[in-house]
Amino acid sequence: MTETRTQTQFEEVDQIVVRFAGDSGDGMQLTGDQLTRTTALMGNDLATFPDFPAEIRAPAGTLPGVSAFQLRFSNFDIHTPGDAPDVLVAMNPAALKVHVSSLRRDGTLIVDTTSFGPVDLKKAKYDKNPLEDGSLDGYRVIKLELQRLTREALASTTLDTRSKDRCKNIYALGIVSWLFHRDLKPTIQFLRGKFASKPEIAEANVKALEAGHLFAEVSGLFQAAYRVAPATFMKPGTYRNVMGNQALCLGLVAAAKKSGLRLVLGSYPITPASDILHQLATYKHHGILTFQAEDEIAAIGAAIGASYGGLLGVTSTSGPGLALKSEAIGLAVMTELPLVVIDVQRAGPSTGMPTKTEQADLLQAMFGRNGECPVPIVVARTPADSFGAAFDAVRIALRYMTPVILLSDGYIANGSEPWCVPTASSLPEIAVKFAAAGDGTARFRPYERDPVTLARVWARPGTPGCTHRIGGIEKEDGSGNISYDAQNHQHMVDLRAEKVARIANDIADAEVIGHPSPDVLFLCWGGTTGAITAAALRLSKAGHSIGAVCLRWVNPFPKNLEAILRASKRVIVPELNLGQLAMLIRSRFLVDAQPFTKVQGQPFTSHEVEEAGLAALAALRGQEVSR
């Protein structure tokens, strides 16, 4: 399609934030995904934030049924999907009601006016029509009857009216694609592939896409069109756009290949972890075995059984499922078998808000088992970082013969960003050593240990001379026999704790982002990493003594963490909970770590973090002056 742009101003910008919002049946996630895919192919850095309702299908036009997708793309390195959209596409009054307050002042608001009748406004809890009462005067409002425009564009097709109306999200995508100079070819290829068995639907969507693109060009409604040049900071390599759950699965598969073990996933579907089961099930050609169990307990039982059999056992869940797996995790600790337990956190307690993000499972992961039951905890910090976190979890589980909990969250799992695909040769080998066959002259001792890692020997069932049994009752060190001896129990408890502590020798030191010796230090973990990184870099660049540490491991902590904390005058811990990491830091290091918390089912914005950092710095300066 030729782009004339003879009457429209053309502007080069360094970034754009766009958000689509509508009913869960309006295809907002698909629309956002396609714009993201095209943007990735055009070489921009990007970050996404899908935000969808928990209800399978809330009543159309109501506030609980609003689904949204935000995409930020740029020509420079970004760490978040953006604080406020530059452009909001609202498909109905409810979407407008929920999201208009996030739109930056003077931002562009594209509104589908099709459903703004009295009944529609009442469903969205509007007393007056916001398109007429002046409440939107601070925005550049573009009013479009998308339903009518889509029907007119598809008038020559054989589709019925309802099917035509279902193409209006693609019409809107065409408008946005013109507005931001996005290539239509990737979306056209996707549509023709997705609807290959229904060519009339495929071509109708293609026609709607092109019609929306042409409408935006010739209508004169848009004062300017924008272009974001490709990013130039990225290192050479092969890139793909990846979601957090996808990257996590790829990390597991890569680790299985590097260890030479077959991976067995025992899982039970639960939002937002279900996609791990779905994706790993597609890797049968890589030797991956997936088992959808009848419940969470059976799922982890199958994974432990796989590890006992000499395979790589993995189980995936969310917070409620982690609670159900707690007893079995204790069994894996007692039997000292390698196991990866994935917890993709969501807002709780109980069922809570299953499609919203939260970081409130840290203390459960740390202490949520009976007895002294230490488990290493690794956290994914960004969607792309999920690959490395999963690889690390497997590496440590196998090297130290221990279950490892991998914490992700809904924000990371469903978000996406560019990922430089590593070559197989660049990934470290994961050495696995099984007990050698015996000649029967000596009794096999399954709890003999490696002097460095304290890992016990791993024997595959059926190995000659290695007959043994293990279970949940306390073991005698070395022999593995059942023992109720008081001193042995003390020894074994201390030994299991020491084994986890020694993992600190096998993980990277913490790194300070921003000011190298900050007066104010942000300490974060998991999904808050993007916002904290962006804030720390921006504030330090502006000359403020503010930095950040974003943890990959929270049990054990990096060996140099205490020194970093003590070198800072004020430590702030931003978390999507009520202060769980701050509690651990205060108790472990006796450092006055100050919690900065948010529990709204939404991630931090970098602006929120910046304000907290500047306020802490101002308070610190005031204290110094008063002295």
Side-chain angles (χ1 to χ4, degrees):
M1 183 177 292
T2 302
E3 297 180 356
T4 57
R5 302 187 187 277
T6 55
Q7 298 180 350
T8 305
Q9 184 181 357
F10 171 69
E11 293 184 16
E12 292 276 359
V13 294
D14 60 1
Q15 66 172 323
I16 289 291
V17 181
V18 59
R19 182 184 299 177
F20 296 93
D23 266 331
S24 57
D26 283 339
M28 296 296 92
Q29 303 304 317
L30 183 145
T31 305
D33 282 341
Q34 286 311 299
L35 186 62
T36 300
R37 181 171 178 267
T38 297
T39 297
L41 291 171
M42 294 181 71
N44 297 115
D45 194 15
L46 62 87
T48 69
F49 177 40
D51 188 11
F52 38 86
E55 291 81 359
I56 294 175
R57 187 64 190 273
T62 62
L63 301 180
V66 173
S67 177
F69 189 104
Q70 181 162 307
L71 165 66
R72 179 188 184 193
F73 56 99
S74 69
N75 61 11
F76 61 93
D77 189 15
I78 59 176
H79 305 279
T80 74
D83 292 354
D86 303 298
V87 176
L88 172 63
V89 180
M91 304 296 282
N92 61 20
L96 180 65
K97 178 87 169 183
V98 172
H99 291 284
V100 70
S101 61
S102 300
L103 183 64
R104 69 168 176 82
R105 303 308 292 178
D106 299 322
T108 299
L109 175 60
I110 302 174
V111 184
D112 180 7
T113 62
T114 302
S115 303
F116 270 77
V119 174
D120 305 303
L121 295 172
K122 184 177 181 181
K123 286 182 180 179
K125 301 189 183 302
Y126 273 118
D127 297 324
K128 299 178 181 179
N129 190 336
L131 302 179
E132 301 171 353
D133 66 3
S135 61
L136 303 178
D137 288 348
Y139 309 110
R140 166 68 175 160
V141 182
I142 308 295
K143 303 175 186 178
L144 301 175
E145 291 185 66
L146 284 179
Q147 187 181 84
R148 176 182 62 80
L149 292 170
T150 305
R151 289 179 181 180
E152 289 176 355
L154 303 181
S156 62
T157 69
T158 59
L159 297 184
D160 57 42
T161 301
R162 183 178 181 184
S163 296
K164 291 176 182 177
D165 291 347
R166 295 182 67 179
C167 297
K168 70 177 183 177
N169 64 313
I170 302 300
Y171 192 102
L173 179 58
I175 293 173
V176 173
S177 296
W178 179 87
L179 190 60
F180 301 132
H181 275 252
R182 300 294 93 180
D183 189 359
L184 298 185
K185 291 180 182 178
T187 301
I188 292 172
Q189 292 174 353
F190 165 80
L191 292 170
R192 286 176 173 160
K194 180 177 178 63
F195 299 110
S197 62
K198 300 178 180 179
E200 69 281 4
I201 294 179
E203 294 311 310
N205 277 280
V206 170
K207 185 172 288 190
L209 179 74
E210 294 177 335
H213 192 277
L214 183 61
F215 173 84
E217 183 173 0
V218 304
S219 65
L221 291 174
F222 299 94
Q223 295 177 333
Y226 307 90
R227 186 176 68 181
V228 179
T232 57
F233 70 91
M234 295 182 179
K235 65 181 181 180
T238 300
Y239 284 82
R240 59 166 287 185
N241 187 50
V242 68
M243 297 173 67
N245 275 345
Q246 293 173 334
L248 191 152
C249 289
L250 292 171
L252 292 174
V253 174
K257 290 288 187 180
K258 284 295 183 177
S259 68
L261 299 177
R262 187 174 188 184
L263 187 150
V264 178
L265 175 76
S267 187
Y268 180 77
I270 184 171
T271 303
S274 298
D275 284 342
I276 296 171
L277 172 61
H278 300 159
Q279 182 166 341
L280 285 178
T282 67
Y283 293 145
K284 294 183 178 66
H285 57 294
H286 287 296
I288 306 301
L289 177 64
T290 55
F291 167 58
Q292 180 173 323
E294 64 269 28
D295 56 41
E296 297 282 6
I297 299 172
I300 190 172
I304 292 173
S307 292
Y308 176 70
L311 306 177
L312 174 57
V314 180
T315 188
S316 57
T317 188
S318 186
L322 186 65
L324 291 169
K325 295 178 189 293
S326 62
E327 183 180 4
I329 295 173
L331 174 63
V333 168
M334 181 65 79
T335 56
E336 299 187 48
L337 286 168
L339 177 72
V340 176
V341 181
I342 301 164
D343 173 15
V344 187
Q345 301 164 97
R346 69 189 201 188
S350 188
T351 309
M353 300 192 295
T355 60
K356 307 301 181 182
T357 195
E358 205 162 274
Q359 291 181 289
D361 294 350
L362 178 57
L363 294 183
Q364 181 182 200
M366 195 80 169
F367 304 117
R369 295 164 296 281
N370 65 293
E372 291 292 337
C373 192
V375 175
I377 303 171
V378 61
V379 298
R381 297 173 293 190
T382 69
D385 185 60
S386 298
F387 177 90
F391 194 94
D392 254 7
V394 172
R395 179 179 65 86
I396 293 299
L398 293 173
R399 177 165 167 76
Y400 286 83
M401 288 293 287
T402 180
V404 175
I405 294 178
L406 167 55
L407 294 179
S408 179
D409 58 56
Y411 175 68
I412 295 173
N414 296 315
S416 63
E417 63 180 349
W419 172 54
C420 186
V421 181
T423 60
S425 60
S426 69
L427 298 174
E429 298 295 329
I430 300 177
V432 177
K433 183 180 180 181
F434 289 101
D439 58 9
T441 59
R443 184 177 179 84
F444 177 61
R445 294 170 61 82
Y447 280 77
E448 292 286 2
R449 301 184 180 279
D450 182 287
V452 175
T453 65
L454 300 182
R456 76 171 184 86
V457 66
W458 193 10
R460 280 195 173 112
T463 302
C466 294
T467 301
H468 68 288
R469 64 177 184 176
I470 55 176
I473 300 178
E474 184 61 280
K475 304 293 177 288
E476 181 182 67
D477 194 18
S479 72
N481 293 334
I482 292 173
S483 174
Y484 294 98
D485 179 77
Q487 295 306 314
N488 177 77
H489 179 56
Q490 177 77 54
H491 170 69
M492 293 298 284
V493 167
D494 292 341
L495 189 150
R496 288 187 288 263
E498 174 63 19
K499 181 167 68 168
V500 173
R502 289 191 184 188
I503 293 172
N505 299 321
D506 229 331
I507 63 177
D509 282 346
E511 296 182 1
V512 179
I513 301 167
H515 195 289
S517 302
D519 289 339
V520 173
L521 178 75
F522 288 114
L523 178 65
C524 72
W525 64 283
T528 59
T529 294
I532 276 69
T533 299
L537 290 176
R538 196 150 50 218
L539 290 171
S540 63
K541 187 177 181 180
H544 299 291
S545 183
I546 295 178
V549 168
C550 302
L551 295 173
R552 161 71 73 79
W553 285 91
V554 293
N555 193 35
F557 290 120
K559 290 192 294 184
N560 67 330
L561 180 60
E562 182 175 6
I564 293 174
L565 296 175
R566 295 196 180 282
S568 302
K569 297 177 180 177
R570 184 69 56 88
V571 177
I572 302 175
V573 186
E575 298 182 80
L576 300 181
N577 58 51
L578 294 181
Q580 297 186 15
L581 178 61
M583 182 188 302
L584 294 178
I585 293 296
R586 292 167 71 95
S587 64
R588 173 69 181 275
F589 301 118
L590 300 181
V591 169
D592 187 22
Q594 296 296 313
F596 173 53
T597 66
K598 178 178 178 179
V599 194
Q600 301 172 12
Q602 297 293 319
F604 281 111
T605 66
S606 58
H607 179 69
E608 288 173 326
V609 179
E610 286 180 28
E611 287 188 333
L614 291 174
L617 198 60
L620 191 62
R621 297 289 184 256
Q623 289 176 7
E624 291 176 349
V625 170
S626 66
R627 293 193 188 104

